[in-house]
Amino acid sequence: MEEERAGRIGDDPRVSELRAAVSRLRRALAAHPAQLPDRDAAEDELAALDAMARAGAPEVPRLRRSLLLVAGAVGSVSALAQALGEVRAAVDSFGEQRVTAPRVVAEQPCAAREVPRPREAPDGM
């Protein structure tokens, strides 16, 4: 049944790859025997990544935020590095959506601005 869903016409292969990578990292984290202080946070964010992927076209900023939280929680565990790298690659495949900030126009040209003078040393120094 899973193969049937993954093979539907119109499915984004990036979403399928993200779901697969998240699943692999979730399994690797579950199998990792060490106590990790932020394990619960990592599991919650991996669940959020999976939910975003299941819903369809995920929001790139939210994907990146979740990835950052997961990496912060498990990034120092070398046994999870490969699976974490796969999740990162899957998130990166969505590209960047940049929001262009409005340009700020200076009121005065740079040369006309006053630059504060440094304090002079008191006498006797």
Side-chain angles (χ1 to χ4, degrees):
M1 184 165 162
E2 186 68 28
E3 292 175 310
E4 183 180 306
R5 271 189 268 158
R8 288 187 303 201
I9 297 174
D11 280 352
D12 188 342
R14 299 174 304 170
V15 171
S16 298
E17 182 54 37
L18 176 61
R19 290 195 60 216
V22 166
S23 179
R24 285 189 292 273
L25 181 54
R26 288 175 94 175
R27 285 192 308 268
L29 182 59
H32 191 67
Q35 294 286 38
L36 301 175
D38 294 328
R39 181 186 291 262
D40 290 340
E43 289 171 348
D44 289 347
E45 286 305 317
L46 287 169
L49 281 167
D50 187 53
M52 284 185 275
R54 284 178 187 267
E59 297 175 23
V60 175
R62 178 68 175 106
L63 287 176
R64 292 190 185 284
R65 179 183 173 279
S66 290
L67 174 63
L68 182 62
L69 291 170
V70 171
V74 302
S76 64
V77 180
S78 60
L80 303 174
Q82 182 177 351
L84 180 60
E86 291 172 3
V87 172
R88 179 178 183 226
V91 168
D92 286 346
S93 73
F94 285 90
E96 292 190 30
Q97 293 179 344
R98 296 180 187 262
V99 176
T100 306
R103 293 183 65 194
V104 177
V105 179
E107 294 177 16
Q108 300 177 12
C110 292
R113 291 187 189 149
E114 296 258 343
V115 177
R117 301 180 92 188
R119 293 185 184 178
E120 295 183 17
D123 290 340
M125 287 188 105

